[in-house]
Amino acid sequence: MGQARGQFVPSRPVPGVRSVPPAAFFRRWREHGLITEFHDRLRGRVREREGRDAGPTAGIIDAQSVRAAATVPAASRGYDGGKKVPGRKRHIVTGCLGLLLVVAVTAANIGDRDAAAGLLTRLRRLHRDITLVWAYGGYTGDLIDWCRQKLALTLQIVKRTDDIK
């Protein structure tokens, strides 16, 4: 198939333009905080398209243990005894639409409550309008009072119901 006159073909060198590998763009974006900026702006636009304010006011916290590949350094892996999973654990807070707000990755042996303090502190710093976070029963205990006193944040525990089909 022929090429239209003046059409840009990325696989061909452009005369007078130095070729830059795509990874270099992403590295620069990361170094200048642009990836986070792009993510935050896109999240705001999606929320507005759904008829919501750009900034979330509530979130949902959860964690998931995942098996780590053999190439993952042993120092950053652990064993989640409750789920019988060797590897890492990702702790996330999403908005009500399921869009990512903050994330932390730890060894799998780090408890959900232990990781939550740092995660919720970052959440409060990055998203000042959030006043409510829903969590499952694994986040009970002193964490609820700590959130109220230190972060002015309501951590509401949602009880599991087994009768949902």
Side-chain angles (χ1 to χ4, degrees), residues 90-105:
R90 53 182 165 234
H91 308 268
I92 64 168
V93 178
T94 67
C96 295
L97 295 177
L99 302 173
L100 191 63
L101 300 175
V102 290
V103 64
V105 178

Side-chain angles (χ1 to χ4, degrees), residues 142-155:
D142 295 336
L143 183 62
I144 296 171
D145 292 331
W146 181 85
C147 284
R148 188 180 319 110
Q149 294 167 1
K150 300 288 184 188
L151 302 177
L153 190 66
T154 301
L155 184 64

Side-chain angles (χ1 to χ4, degrees), residues 10 18 26 36 45-47 53-54 75-76 78-79 102 107 115 118 137 151-152 161:
R18 184 173 60 96
F26 291 109
T36 302
R45 291 187 67 185
V46 168
R47 289 183 54 80
D53 289 337
S76 66
Y79 184 76
V102 290
L151 302 177
T161 57

Side-chain angles (χ1 to χ4, degrees), residues 19 38 51 53 65 111:
S19 176
F38 295 156
D53 289 337
S65 295

Side-chain angles (χ1 to χ4, degrees), residues 74-148:
S76 66
R77 286 185 281 160
Y79 184 76
D80 182 344
K83 295 182 182 168
K84 311 272 190 274
V85 175
R88 289 182 169 173
K89 190 179 283 189
R90 53 182 165 234
H91 308 268
I92 64 168
V93 178
T94 67
C96 295
L97 295 177
L99 302 173
L100 191 63
L101 300 175
V102 290
V103 64
V105 178
T106 65
N109 60 315
I110 303 298
D112 295 351
R113 278 185 296 239
D114 297 332
L119 194 67
L120 292 170
T121 300
R122 276 185 44 223
L123 174 73
R124 197 69 172 121
R125 188 180 75 243
L126 296 172
H127 302 280
R128 297 298 304 166
D129 292 338
I130 289 190
T131 56
L132 172 65
V133 176
W134 289 289
Y136 80 100
Y139 293 95
T140 58
D142 295 336
L143 183 62
I144 296 171
D145 292 331
W146 181 85
C147 284
R148 188 180 319 110

Side-chain angles (χ1 to χ4, degrees), residues 1-55:
M1 183 167 196
Q3 175 182 342
R5 186 164 191 234
Q7 183 180 358
F8 175 71
V9 179
S11 61
R12 294 189 182 158
V14 178
V17 176
R18 184 173 60 96
S19 176
V20 179
F25 284 105
F26 291 109
R27 185 180 64 248
R28 285 187 207 144
W29 290 353
R30 187 183 64 236
E31 289 168 356
H32 291 91
L34 292 176
I35 292 176
T36 302
E37 179 75 18
F38 295 156
H39 178 266
D40 292 348
R41 286 186 186 196
L42 286 170
R43 181 183 54 238
R45 291 187 67 185
V46 168
R47 289 183 54 80
E48 288 171 343
R49 187 171 289 155
E50 293 293 320
R52 310 250 183 156
D53 289 337

